[in-house]
Amino acid sequence: MKTVEQKPKYSLNEEQEKKLILREYRSLLRALKDKIKPGDKDILRRAFEMAADAHSSMRRKSGEPYILHPIAVAKICVEEIGLGVRSTVCALLHDTVEDTDITLQDIEREFGSEIARIVDGLTKISNVIDSSASQQAENFKKILLTLTDDPRVILIKLADRLNNMRTLDSMKREKQLKIASETVYIFAPLAHRMGLYSIKTELEDLAMKYLEPDTYKEIAKKLAETRRDRTRYINEFIKPIKEKLEKNTFDFEIYGRPKNIHSIWNKMKKKGVTFEEVYDLFAIRIILNSPPEREKEDCWKVYSLITDEYTPSIERLRDWVSNPKSNGYEALHTTVMGPRGKWVEVQIRTKRMNEIAEKGLAAHWKYKEGSANENRFDKWFQQIREVLYNQDADSVDFLQDFKMSFLTEEIYIYTPKGDIKMLPVGSTALDFAFAIHTAIGAKTIGAKVNHKLVPISYKLRSGDQVEIITSNKQTPSEDWLSFVVTAKAKAKVKEALKEEKKKVADEGRYTIQRKLEGMGVSMQQANLDELVQFYKLHSNLELFYQVAIKNIDLRELKEFKVIGDRIEYPRPVKIVQENKIESHTPASSSNKQDTELIIFGESSDKIMYHLANCCKPIPGDDVFGFITTGKGLAIHRTNCPNAPKLLANYGHRIVKTKWAKNKEISFLTGVRIIGMDDVGVVSKITSLISAELKINIAALTIEASEGLFEGNIKVYVHDKEELDELVNRLKDLSGIESVERYDTEDLPGNAAAQK
């Protein structure tokens, strides 16, 4: 597997360490100097001494004294998030209860109940978690429960995660993958939702550095190589704008800022373009020093001056000045056509807006007094609180619903009276109905969007005005779950369906009771568990329900053994074949030696595995093993679309995996080629693949239209090296525009990975 560059080995002696710790602590105090009131130095010193003493024998993986981590987290809280003294105390103590002998009672005695409550929110759950749920998901749920009472918990947690990501080099590769995946899956979107944009972009970039090291290095290298050209272009672009702003006596700052590596990569993937074709590699930011009453007016004046100079792209105007995001973000964004035909994004903000954009939630509170938007965060917390306390799904489902409902961008929907509701992108008319009131949602039969009748599954767009149509005869149905996206709507629909199910299931309960009594045994939980397991269901309720609706007729009960008051299904004896490896050879090479994966973990024997259908790994790909339920080990690429979710939610089921050297086996994969539709192009391509590179072609489809062709070719290769050579050689052919690997689910071969 690929490795990420390691830092030089840690080599400080005890005396040097003490000086380093003291230096970092003093640096933290300096960062806090404007916020320290009389008596604060004493509380900070006591927190530092308690943490230093508790962690005195502990070291980080890099070899550094552990206390450097809480100090670094505290500094991020102060310098990058803008938190104060009490949050600094919590950050210094955030790992003491989890990792040392200090208890919450000790912290409460020393620092009071507020700090103890925040530290409790930051402490991971230590009790045993159900093995089907991820500890991280459970842990996250607990943090969110505390978040709704005190958002400082999540801000300190983000600072903790940022420091862990900055120091991830010294961790083992599988730990790097798990932590980076959790970061990109939950923590970066959460930082975005909290309005901490610079932290969000750094978390995404750091996660990409470990999840896709090659791509990360390649884009970073290209950004470095083009820095001089970009600077020259930015200066050329800014010059006329600067002159106009000065002429109109604005007090302003103006500068260019490159996009982060992760967002450039996303654009390249989404639009299918190369680095050179990403049009807005940088954004120009204008920050105005305007009094509160003139902010909106000044932003629009500046917009007008810019669009007088450069032509704007109308569909790229984003007005978050009139309608701020629910995380408090305010700005005007526009994309204009700059010199030499290049698109440039321009962001216009005031100093106050900029501080909210940089420091998010913490700055939002600073400016909260007298603001019309003061309850936007409070509304968001209220929605989260509602969902959390009504939540009975397992933690992983909860985490997925939370991510979909609360961590995506929002759209603005108007009620018939003109009130605004904010919903996540992708919300339907039914989500809107539940956002108004649960009782309305449950009775919804249709909606009018902008006065036109639409079905309840209609996807809403920002600015729609929606009127809900209800009927007292309507009840929620199972298919509603396939199109609602908000956590509130999902939870309420599930609740209603469960109630309905319970009524129907009562009949099934009596049927099972009669059958069991007829066998001479009682309806105790152990017997129900045996039946639930036998019928592969997930709960007693599901068993009763399936019996009630006649999907299960209990005919198999006669095969069960009765042992005292218990029933037991006779289980077949398993015959274990040692060292059997699944083969992935095409028919033409079925007599060749099997391939294998070397598994690092508790057992280093060869084990059964299959290649995940979602990403089709081949030897040489950076991969990990995922233990599925009932289907052995699934092998996924680390950049598989499903990897972040699997690594973030099921860390305990991940196995370190690497390929054994074996050139005998061929693996099915695919390449997509786009180029000029020229005479003989297909012949050139097939001749290169079959005759020159001696690679077997499994299938080939070519579609030509308006002078361009797109070809999809399925080929058998031995490893990634061979595939890379094929891609590079195809790119060298004249008239070929782009060549990329694709891994579609319709490639024949391996079964898809199942949870």
Side-chain angles (χ1 to χ4, degrees), residues 253-471:
E253 285 175 68
I254 184 166
Y255 54 87
R257 178 192 66 88
K259 291 278 173 80
N260 66 313
I261 293 174
H262 185 266
S263 72
I264 291 171
W265 175 226
N266 268 348
K267 272 215 166 97
M268 286 163 65
K269 280 194 296 190
K270 215 180 278 178
K271 296 201 158 73
V273 294
T274 63
F275 175 86
E276 290 70 26
E277 293 166 313
V278 176
Y279 62 79
D280 50 354
L281 282 172
F282 42 82
I284 304 297
R285 191 170 287 163
I286 298 168
I287 297 167
L288 305 170
N289 192 5
S290 297
E293 68 279 4
R294 273 221 333 265
E295 284 187 330
K296 196 186 281 193
E297 183 189 338
D298 284 357
C299 286
W300 282 109
K301 272 184 184 168
V302 171
Y303 172 80
S304 174
L305 292 173
I306 291 163
T307 53
D308 282 349
E309 184 66 35
Y310 299 117
T311 310
S313 164
I314 303 301
E315 66 274 12
R316 300 277 297 156
L317 172 64
R318 301 285 180 268
D319 175 11
W320 288 304
V321 169
S322 309
N323 240 330
K325 292 186 180 185
S326 61
N327 60 17
Y329 182 80
E330 294 173 70
L332 267 185
H333 288 200
T334 182
T335 302
V336 298
M337 180 62 81
R340 303 198 294 280
K342 288 186 180 179
W343 288 106
V344 179
E345 185 184 52
V346 183
Q347 301 171 354
I348 307 162
R349 305 171 179 170
T350 63
K351 270 194 164 169
R352 178 191 65 82
M353 294 172 187
N354 191 55
E355 196 173 344
I356 286 175
E358 295 299 321
K359 301 275 171 67
L361 190 51
H364 172 80
W365 272 323
K366 178 176 164 183
Y367 292 106
K368 197 172 172 181
E369 292 80 27
S371 161
N373 299 315
E374 67 177 86
N375 62 354
R376 290 207 170 209
F377 265 121
D378 306 332
K379 270 187 190 168
W380 189 61
F381 293 145
Q382 183 52 45
Q383 288 172 342
I384 295 175
R385 204 174 288 132
E386 230 177 274
V387 168
L388 281 167
Y389 289 111
N390 291 334
Q391 187 58 242
D392 63 352
D394 81 34
S395 300
V396 173
D397 282 350
F398 158 74
L399 200 52
Q400 183 64 14
D401 286 352
F402 178 84
K403 189 175 151 60
M404 288 295 294
S405 294
F406 299 119
L407 300 186
T408 54
E409 285 292 333
E410 62 271 307
I411 52 176
Y412 299 92
I413 306 300
Y414 294 91
T415 67
K417 289 180 181 172
D419 297 331
I420 288 182
K421 291 275 177 196
M422 281 176 294
L423 293 170
V425 167
S427 292
T428 60
L430 189 56
D431 285 300
F432 177 75
F434 275 104
I436 294 168
H437 198 282
T438 302
I440 291 174
K443 292 177 180 175
T444 300
I445 54 167
K448 282 185 177 177
V449 173
N450 307 326
H451 310 294
K452 285 183 185 163
L453 198 62
V454 296
I456 56 176
S457 59
Y458 179 85
K459 277 196 179 176
L460 301 173
R461 285 192 298 235
S462 212
D464 282 344
Q465 188 170 28
V466 182
E467 182 190 339
I468 296 298
I469 303 162
T470 59
S471 160

Side-chain angles (χ1 to χ4, degrees), residues 179-211:
I179 292 170
S181 291
E182 275 172 12
T183 298
V184 88
Y185 188 67
I186 285 293
F187 288 97
L190 192 55
H192 178 78
R193 208 57 170 72
M194 290 295 181
L196 297 163
Y197 291 101
S198 52
I199 286 179
K200 173 237 181 194
T201 53
E202 189 178 348
L203 285 174
E204 285 176 339
D205 276 4
L206 287 168
M208 188 179 165
K209 179 180 165 187
Y210 295 98
L211 293 172

